Amino acid sequence: MSKVFVFGHKNPDTDTICSAIAYAELKTKLGVDAEPVRLGQVNGETQFALDYFKTEAPRLVEAVSKEVSEVILVDHNEFQQSANDIRDVKILEVIDHHRIANFETSDPLYYRAEPVGCTATILKKIYQEKNIEISKETAGLMLSAIISDSLLFKSPTCTEEDIAAARELAEIAGVNAEEYGLAMLKAGADLSDKTLEELISLDAKEFQMGSYKTEIAQVNAIDLNDVLSRKEELESILSEVVTKKELDLFLFVLTDILNSDSVVIAIGNETKAVEEAYQVTLENNSATLNGVVSRKKQIVPPLTKALTER
């Protein structure tokens, strides 16, 4: 069998990177020539996890079809979030925990999607099903993914399965989940060395919501004023992105990881949908969403509903 790439979405987060590494390792142990790769830069939170567990980041690739003809997707399925040339390769498998949208293949495939908080939680099950031992380093990376996606078990997307998996992985990795997790999240929330251009692309995803093209970027922070003090400049940059990509809406979500609230900044022609979706009034393009931390469960569904029902 020829080489297979395993990768997650563009603008990779910790689940994308760590799940690609973990699943490529599993497939390799099962006799598949699998290599984890990434479609974007590694963020600070993920780098903290990689450094802690002494693991190299997957190499960056621009076009997957130049090197392989078959791929495995983790932590995503929507084509606009994947490799630019995703339609030029055969998708063998998908392991994901998001909605299924804009996805179609010409051949049958193994598709596993479960309503849990993290792809790594599903991967842990697969390791057990295949009777493959999880190494200390890989367990640590999978734990990091769960902590990241669940905001240390505080996100509404977090399930009992995620918590149970994290506890077992923490034991294998030899760390205290809460202590390690807080240190990792704080590393990711340090925005002091990031430009505004970097902030809006750190964890940004494009979504087709009915006939509307949207992009939602989310950044975790401890002190929101580090970003909000530059709001005017940020809005100018967001406007440029909206024009360049011909977006109907760009929603920038700044999440307070300590208080579990978010501030959103909405730019584009469809900002009214933001008010309808979250029952708020935008003031100077911004509003606070109390208790909202999850893009997947609390941000995307109501906004999709507001835009598709127009």
Side-chain angles (χ1 to χ4, degrees):
M1 179 182 287
S2 57
K3 177 177 284 190
V4 174
F5 278 171
V6 182
F7 56 87
H9 54 75
K10 295 174 182 175
N11 303 314
D13 57 13
T14 301
D15 188 23
T16 272
I17 295 292
C18 293
S19 286
I21 293 171
Y23 201 45
E25 181 177 310
L26 172 61
K27 299 301 288 187
T28 298
K29 290 181 177 180
L30 293 174
V32 178
D33 184 7
E35 180 189 356
V37 296
R38 57 186 169 91
L39 304 181
Q41 299 304 313
V42 176
N43 65 38
E45 177 190 279
T46 308
Q47 192 61 56
F48 178 92
L50 292 171
D51 291 343
Y52 193 96
F53 293 104
K54 298 178 174 59
T55 304
E56 291 290 326
R59 67 185 177 94
L60 177 68
V61 296
E62 298 294 337
V64 296
S65 63
K66 290 183 178 179
E67 299 186 56
V68 298
S69 59
E70 298 176 323
V71 301
I72 296 173
L73 308 185
V74 296
D75 197 34
H76 77 299
N77 67 81
E78 299 187 48
F79 279 11
Q80 72 271 17
Q81 298 175 7
S82 198
N84 292 334
D85 58 342
I86 190 64
R87 297 183 187 277
D88 299 328
V89 293
K90 180 179 180 180
I91 301 173
L92 297 177
E93 302 181 31
V94 176
I95 314 294
D96 194 17
H97 68 126
H98 295 94
R99 72 175 192 173
I100 301 172
N102 306 314
F103 182 86
E104 182 178 0
T105 63
S106 58
D107 299 293
L109 75 163
Y110 178 79
Y111 196 113
R112 185 158 177 172
E114 298 187 20
V116 292
C118 182
T119 307
T121 300
I122 306 172
L123 295 185
K124 183 180 178 299
K125 292 183 186 181
I126 299 177
Y127 265 89
Q128 291 176 316
E129 292 162 4
K130 300 296 184 181
N131 198 28
I132 301 295
E133 183 178 350
I134 305 174
S135 68
K136 176 179 179 179
E137 293 75 19
T138 301
L141 295 179
M142 293 167 72
L143 168 66
S144 301
I146 296 173
I147 289 171
S148 175
D149 270 11
S150 70
L151 281 179
L152 199 53
F153 318 128
K154 291 180 180 178
S155 171
T157 61
C158 185
T159 68
E160 290 301 321
E161 287 187 62
D162 297 296
I163 295 172
R167 299 301 181 201
E168 292 181 39
L169 291 167
E171 186 172 346
I172 297 171
V175 297
N176 177 285
E178 280 74 16
E179 292 177 1
Y180 166 76
L182 185 58
M184 186 191 77
L185 290 177
K186 284 184 175 180
D190 182 3
L191 308 177
S192 59
D193 63 341
K194 299 291 188 297
T195 66
L196 291 178
E197 288 84 358
E198 288 172 330
L199 285 182
I200 67 170
S201 63
L202 278 175
D203 187 6
K205 292 182 179 180
E206 286 189 19
F207 298 91
Q208 190 67 38
M209 299 179 177
S211 61
Y212 299 99
K213 184 179 179 183
T214 68
E215 185 162 338
I216 303 175
Q218 185 171 24
V219 172
N220 293 336
I222 294 176
D223 186 354
L224 302 193
N225 285 326
D226 287 345
V227 177
L228 295 179
S229 62
R230 297 180 282 171
K231 182 172 176 288
E232 186 174 335
E233 183 184 355
L234 176 61
E235 290 176 340
S236 176
I237 295 171
L238 291 177
S239 295
E240 291 176 5
V241 174
V242 167
T243 300
K244 180 180 179 180
K245 293 187 176 182
E246 299 182 332
L247 300 173
D248 295 294
L249 175 67
F250 194 122
L251 190 65
F252 180 78
V253 184
L254 185 60
T255 299
D256 186 330
I257 63 172
L258 297 182
N259 296 316
S260 298
D261 294 324
S262 293
V263 171
V264 296
I265 298 174
I267 300 294
N269 292 330
E270 300 302 324
T271 56
K272 190 67 179 177
V274 175
E275 297 184 321
E276 296 169 359
Y278 311 115
Q279 297 299 298
V280 296
T281 299
L282 292 171
E283 295 183 8
N284 297 319
N285 304 316
S286 182
T288 297
L289 306 184
N290 295 317
V292 171
V293 297
S294 170
R295 174 170 52 193
K296 180 178 70 174
K297 192 167 185 176
Q298 296 175 298
I299 296 173
V300 171
L303 186 59
T304 301
K305 185 173 185 291
L307 284 171
T308 56
E309 291 184 353
R310 296 194 150 198

